[in-house]
Amino acid sequence: MYDIKKIREDFPILGREIYGKPLVYLDNGATTQKPRCVVEAMTEEYYNVNANVHRGVHFLSQKATELHENARETVRRFLNARSTNEIVFTRGTTESINLVASTFGDAFLKENDEIIISQMEHHSNIVSWQLIQARRGIRLRVIPITDEGDLCLDKYEQLFNPNTRLVSITHVSNVLGTVNPIKQMIVTAHAHGVPVLIDGAQSVPHMAVDVCDLDCDFFAFSGHKVYGPTGVGVLYGKENWLDKLPPYMGGGEMIKNVSFEHTTFNELPYKFEAGTPDYIATTGLAHALDYVTSIGMENIHAYEQELTQYAMKRMAKIENMRLFGTSANKDAVISFLVGNIHHLDMGTLLDRLGIAVRTGHHCAEPLMHLLGIEGTVRASLGLYNTKEEIDILIDGIERIRKMF
Ligand code: PLP
């Protein structure tokens, strides 16, 4: 049984008011709120354990290292990776994608090589590759989408050729909510001998992810979008791929021996973790993953699916409603415009009613260009949202629509 009352009590911020109205937080795609257990675990570590990790002989350093490495094991279990060697801590999805783009680019890409991305990518999975494009003269090939917001899989298959080096696609669109058939797409890519990077920023908070079952080569996600702290994220990479990639940044932690003439690099995953890691945040992330696991990712998924379908049905009935992203495989993200009301006006007026939504291009300008719009209003759901909150959103939209 999904105990929504108890779940909401775990998130103190949900009890606050905005402009005298109860907060309705529908900006979970941007970042999620944090349960008490995450904040308390981080505070406890700062108060009682804090010391820099790795190589410290003293008690606190060893204790902090233990927490940090236990967090890596928690992430490994959460993703069902084979080994903690495959779990690299980064600052978030953006850094994870940049790490692969930069190191894969240096090791494997040359002029006219091609990377396949899609029309629904977040800027982090476009611009990271454009930076390599400038350095290496590679080409980006883009999978088109249908009117409903699904990837055109037949076009995807046609994009492969002997120059294709990597597929880098989002699992779930942060604008359309489309859940892409990545397992099938990975099979296709592998049949062409091409590895696949999955941007899991918008999937990890909403569904169980098993990297072995998916057979993806790289998988990136952000802690703060899955009820964990800001400043920490994960890059999963198959060990044979991570072994082949050069280091991303130089500094402490990532080396074995250093001389002015020659440096040897540390083993995985430390080769990619230069400098002091955010070891307090990794503890927070581990508690966040334990928290969602204790509720059950399947339960969260089923609950949010019901909410999404309820919201989509009610939204569709609003006069002059334009919904962007109506795929049958859709999750927790609802982008819309109503009549000629500017997305900024809608967002600002909803805010006055205590409703937090996001407005603008959602870091997906190429998708906005394709849709012929400047931006949308986006309501994105989390495990603590309720049908009552959807009703408040709908009432708010109706009220604003009538004002215009
Ligand atoms: N990819 C997708 C699909 C996203 O939605 C986001 C953030 O909104 C990112 C990547 C970037 O995540 P971060 O800013 O946490 O690195």
Side-chain angles (χ1 to χ4, degrees):
M1 145 127 184
Y2 200 84
D3 192 346
I4 188 67
K5 184 163 176 291
K6 185 179 162 299
I7 287 171
R8 287 182 68 84
E9 281 166 6
D10 292 335
F11 294 82
I13 202 170
L14 298 180
R16 72 161 292 177
E17 295 193 336
I18 306 287
Y19 306 118
K21 306 272 188 333
L23 166 67
V24 175
Y25 187 77
L26 298 173
D27 195 17
N28 295 287
T31 200
T32 51
Q33 300 302 343
K34 318 306 169 198
R36 208 174 252 119
C37 62
V38 167
V39 180
E40 283 173 357
M42 295 171 74
T43 308
E44 157 65 20
E45 187 169 349
Y46 268 131
Y47 280 159
N48 284 312
V49 183
N50 182 52
N52 207 334
V53 292
H54 301 141
R55 296 180 318 279
V57 291
H58 64 83
F59 179 89
L60 289 182
S61 174
Q62 296 202 358
K63 188 75 195 146
T65 302
E66 198 180 303
L67 289 173
H68 183 61
E69 292 307 325
N70 286 349
R72 200 187 302 276
E73 168 57 21
T74 302
V75 175
R76 185 206 65 73
R77 219 180 315 119
F78 187 76
L79 293 179
N80 193 31
R82 287 170 199 83
S83 153
T84 48
N85 290 352
E86 300 180 320
I87 305 298
V88 178
F89 284 124
T90 63
R91 285 192 302 123
T93 309
T94 303
E95 189 173 82
S96 297
I97 298 174
N98 273 275
L99 189 161
V100 177
S102 180
T103 59
F104 190 92
D106 282 341
F108 296 112
L109 298 181
K110 57 182 191 322
E111 202 169 341
N112 295 328
D113 281 349
E114 297 184 1
I115 304 290
I116 297 178
I117 58 172
S118 86
Q119 235 157 10
M120 65 171 81
E121 298 309 320
H122 186 279
H123 291 165
S124 58
N125 197 27
I126 302 173
V127 184
S128 313
W129 297 108
Q130 286 173 337
L131 295 178
I132 300 306
Q133 193 170 29
R135 267 162 44 191
R136 298 261 155 185
I138 60 163
R139 283 196 294 249
L140 292 184
R141 306 299 301 275
V142 184
I143 313 166
I145 60 171
T146 65
D147 290 346
E148 290 75 31
D150 287 308
L151 292 179
C152 300
L153 292 184
D154 51 334
K155 299 274 175 15
Y156 166 61
E157 300 205 5
Q158 290 162 13
L159 289 178
F160 286 90
N161 65 49
N163 291 332
T164 312
R165 292 287 169 266
L166 188 99
V167 173
S168 189
I169 41 164
T170 192
H171 194 173
V172 175
S173 161
N174 68 315
V175 175
L176 307 167
T178 312
V179 184
N180 290 320
I182 54 166
K183 196 168 170 181
Q184 183 187 341
M185 295 175 77
I186 291 165
V187 170
T188 304
H190 285 174
H192 288 89
V194 173
V196 181
L197 182 156
I198 300 295
D199 170 353
Q202 298 292 343
S203 62
V204 160
H206 305 293
M207 59 192 70
V209 168
D210 180 330
V211 290
C212 280
D213 178 55
L214 288 173
D215 199 25
C216 54
D217 301 277
F218 302 100
F219 189 96
F221 76 93
S222 299
H224 70 101
K225 292 187 198 284
V226 59
Y227 311 98
T230 47
V232 67
V234 169
L235 172 68
Y236 157 82
K238 279 184 186 163
E239 203 163 339
N240 64 339
W241 273 115
L242 292 181
D243 263 336
K244 279 187 259 186
L245 299 182
Y248 181 45
M249 290 196 289
E253 300 274 349
M254 53 75 73
I255 51 86
K256 221 173 227 155
N257 298 104
V258 180
S259 71
F260 285 117
E261 291 73 35
H262 184 65
T263 290
T264 51
F265 303 122
N266 207 341
E267 59 215 25
L268 293 176
Y270 309 107
K271 181 173 90 174
F272 296 106
E273 294 183 350
T276 299
D278 193 341
Y279 52 85
I280 304 283
T282 55
T283 294
L285 174 61
H287 277 79
L289 298 183
D290 283 342
Y291 178 78
V292 291
T293 303
S294 74
I295 299 173
M297 288 313 298
E298 273 80 16
N299 297 332
I300 292 170
H301 184 62
Y303 178 78
E304 291 181 347
Q305 274 293 309
E306 198 182 319
L307 270 191
T308 308
Q309 279 158 26
Y310 177 76
M312 285 296 281
K313 258 191 211 130
R314 288 221 56 196
M315 298 282 275
K317 290 196 183 122
I318 295 175
E319 215 176 296
N320 293 326
M321 170 60 72
R322 287 165 74 196
L323 288 164
F324 299 91
T326 52
S327 168
N329 298 311
K330 181 179 170 80
D331 206 20
V333 180
I334 298 158
S335 278
F336 65 95
L337 289 171
V338 181
N340 293 326
I341 307 172
H342 196 273
H343 52 86
L344 263 180
D345 291 334
M346 177 65 84
T348 308
L349 291 166
L350 285 173
D351 177 50
R352 286 278 149 185
L353 302 171
I355 305 165
V357 291
R358 191 143 291 248
T359 60
H361 56 57
H362 315 298
C363 293
E365 277 195 65
L367 177 58
M368 296 297 131
H369 297 156
L370 177 80
L371 297 171
I373 53 177
E374 188 197 301
T376 73
V377 186
R378 183 186 73 182
S380 50
L381 310 172
L383 59 84
Y384 37 60
N385 289 125
T386 62
K387 284 189 181 162
E388 291 71 35
E389 289 182 310
I390 306 285
D391 292 341
I392 295 171
L393 170 70
I394 304 282
D395 290 349
I397 298 171
E398 283 289 17
R399 220 169 122 180
I400 293 159
R401 188 181 65 78
K402 284 174 193 150
M403 270 169 58
F404 274 80

